[in-house]
Structures are given as C-alpha cells and as structure tokens.
C-alpha cells in the first residue's frame, strides 16, 4: 500500500496507461518488484519439499505464471498495472499465512476468525475487483491508446490463467467455509485423506503429555472423543 496508495492510477485506472510506453520507474516500484519476484521464486523452489496437496499442480502453475507475469510486466514497462495486481494479491495472502500460524499454534478460534476474514477478502479482491476492474484496465483501456501487440495478448492470457486458478481456490475456500458454518470439522480442503491419516499417526506416536494436547487459544484442553485407531 505504501508503494501505490499515493499514485494517481490507484484511484483512476485510465492513468495506468497515461504516457505509455514511456513511463519512469521510481525506487519504491523497483524494490516492490524485486521483493515480490524473489518471494515467488522462493515459493517455487520450496514447494518441492513441502507437503504435496491436491492442488500441487495448480500451485506450480500459479507460481510459474506469476513469475512470468512479473518478469514480463517489468520488461514491457507494465509496471503500474503490475504493482496494482501484486498489491491486490498481497491483500489476502498475509491473512491466510496468519491463519496457518494460529492453526499450528493451536489457537483454533483465532484461526477460524482470521480465515473468515481471509475468505471474504479473497472473494472480493480476486473474483470481483480483479476481473471487473483490473482485467478491464488491462484488456479495454490499452486499445483506446494503441493497437494490440503480442505483449498485450500474452499478458492478458496469463492473467486469464490466474483468474481460472482463483475460481478453483475460491471453490475450495467456500467448501471450507460451509463446513465451518455448519459446525463440521474443518480441514484443509487441499489435503488428501492419506496425508491426514499419516499426520495423525505421527502425532499419536509422539506420545501424550501436556505439550501434545489440543489447544484452544493457547490453553490445553481435554478431548475424550478422539477417534480410535483401527
């Protein structure tokens, strides 16, 4: 937000293309690009050693498409549009990571509340703002200023790939939200059953004690309804 909130194209998206392709790059935009590009490269390398979930292939496609988009937008001087797109994605990502941390810490109530906020922000930003504002800005406005060229079609095609992935993940998020609202046990919709059972087996083999008990907002609680092992 510090990079884009004071920029005129944040409020009037037609200004994204004002003076294109001759647009200067300021230091804050440069560092935002470098940090974001480094972050997604790190995700692409680390995903190979992470737990493989149902959306493993989609994650690979997403990271590759994002790296290509960031790199191409830099070379094609789509930097104003690029900063808007990156900020839009970052607006919900930190909420998901926060929910994960509280989940690992055992603060289930806090995790669930943050997840609800994340789901709302994700739906609004990636299924409403992105297709109806950002994509409109990158698809319609440029044609008013110059004829379409290869970069125009390539950039918007990659944006279309991201949008399809957003729809897929929104479906998984809504399924999790439905389970939460109906009071069912909420698990990561991307997890395979074998993975879940393997994790439970590892926890069981780790022994009992206060450290291995379930936690509610940081405090150990007793649960006499554990599922018996087969």
């Amino acid at each position: 937000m510090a990079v884009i909130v004071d920029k005129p194209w944040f409020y009037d998206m037609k200004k994204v293309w004002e003076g294109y392709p001759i647009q200067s790059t300021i230091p804050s935009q440069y560092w935002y690009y470098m940090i974001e590009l480094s972050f997604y490269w790190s995700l692409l390398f680390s995903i190979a050693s992470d737990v493989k979930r149902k959306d493993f292939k989609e994650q690979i496609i997403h990271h590759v498409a994002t790296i290509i988009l960031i790199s191409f937008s830099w070379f094609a001087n789509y930097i104003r549009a690029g900063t808007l797109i990156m900020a839009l994605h970052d607006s919900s990502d930190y909420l998901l990571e926060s929910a994960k941390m509280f989940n690992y810490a055992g603060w289930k109530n806090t995790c669930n509340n943050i997840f609800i906020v994340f789901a709302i922000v994700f739906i609004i930003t990636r299924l409403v703002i992105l297709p109806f504002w950002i994509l409109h800005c990158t698809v319609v406005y440029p044609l008013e200023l110059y004829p379409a060229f290869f970069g125009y079609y390539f950039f918007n095609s990659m944006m279309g790939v991201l949008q399809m992935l957003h729809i897929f993940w929104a479906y998984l998020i809504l399924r999790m939200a439905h389970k939460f609202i109906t009071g069912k046990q909420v698990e990561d919709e991307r997890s395979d059953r074998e993975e879940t059972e393997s994790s439970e087996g590892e926890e069981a083999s780790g022994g009992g004690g206060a450290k291995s008990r379930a936690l509610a907002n940081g405090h150990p609680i007793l649960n006499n309804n554990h599922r018996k092992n087969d």
Side-chain angles (χ1 to χ4, degrees):
M1 291 302 297
V3 173
I4 65 173
V5 72
D6 61 337
K7 306 300 186 294
W9 55 86
F10 180 69
Y11 305 95
D12 183 3
M13 290 190 178
K14 287 190 174 182
K15 292 185 179 296
V16 166
W17 308 107
E18 192 175 75
Y20 183 84
I22 304 173
Q23 295 175 339
S24 59
T25 302
I26 59 179
S28 61
Q29 292 173 323
Y30 170 83
W31 286 111
Y32 190 20
Y33 258 78
M34 295 304 106
I35 293 171
E36 199 82 2
L37 184 60
S38 302
F39 172 67
Y40 279 103
W41 270 113
S42 71
L43 289 182
L44 186 61
F45 284 120
S46 63
I47 195 173
S49 59
D50 198 0
V51 176
K52 287 183 172 59
R53 304 184 185 275
K54 291 179 180 178
D55 65 342
F56 176 77
K57 293 180 180 179
E58 288 81 3
Q59 288 276 4
I60 293 291
I61 294 172
H62 175 269
H63 297 340
V64 171
T66 301
I67 290 171
I68 292 174
L69 271 171
I70 293 175
S71 303
F72 178 81
S73 65
W74 177 264
F75 291 128
N77 208 23
Y78 274 31
I79 295 175
R80 293 182 180 180
T83 53
L84 290 176
I85 295 168
M86 292 189 298
L88 185 75
H89 284 75
D90 291 340
S91 64
S92 62
D93 285 351
Y94 77 95
L95 292 170
L96 178 61
E97 300 303 328
S98 300
K100 286 181 180 179
M101 288 192 294
F102 282 111
N103 180 52
Y104 299 150
W107 292 42
K108 300 300 182 182
N109 292 335
T110 305
C111 169
N112 292 338
N113 291 331
I114 293 178
F115 179 80
I116 292 174
V117 177
F118 159 75
I120 294 172
V121 174
F122 186 95
I123 298 298
I124 293 176
T125 56
R126 305 201 188 191
L127 297 188
V128 179
I129 297 178
L130 184 64
F132 296 106
W133 273 270
I134 302 297
L135 278 177
H136 185 267
C137 172
T138 61
V139 173
V140 177
Y141 292 160
L143 298 179
E144 298 176 359
L145 302 174
Y146 56 84
F149 65 109
F150 169 77
Y152 167 85
Y153 293 111
F154 179 78
F155 183 84
N156 287 298
S157 296
M158 298 302 293
M159 287 294 296
V161 172
L162 287 184
Q163 187 59 48
M164 294 301 295
L165 291 172
H166 294 158
I167 295 172
F168 169 74
W169 281 317
Y171 167 72
L172 298 183
I173 291 170
L174 291 175
R175 284 185 59 180
M176 292 180 66
H178 179 263
K179 288 183 178 181
F180 175 78
I181 293 172
T182 55
K184 297 179 181 179
Q185 183 179 0
V186 179
E187 295 180 353
D188 193 337
E189 283 291 337
R190 302 173 302 159
S191 301
D192 291 322
R193 181 164 182 79
E194 292 180 359
E195 171 196 320
T196 303
E197 291 176 349
S198 175
S199 299
E200 290 176 353
E202 291 175 359
E203 291 176 359
S205 63
K211 292 184 178 180
S212 62
R213 293 177 185 171
L215 300 175
N217 279 352
H219 302 286
I221 60 173
L222 296 176
N223 185 357
N224 297 322
N225 297 319
H226 291 304
R227 186 177 62 189
K228 293 183 179 180
N229 293 328
D230 294 337

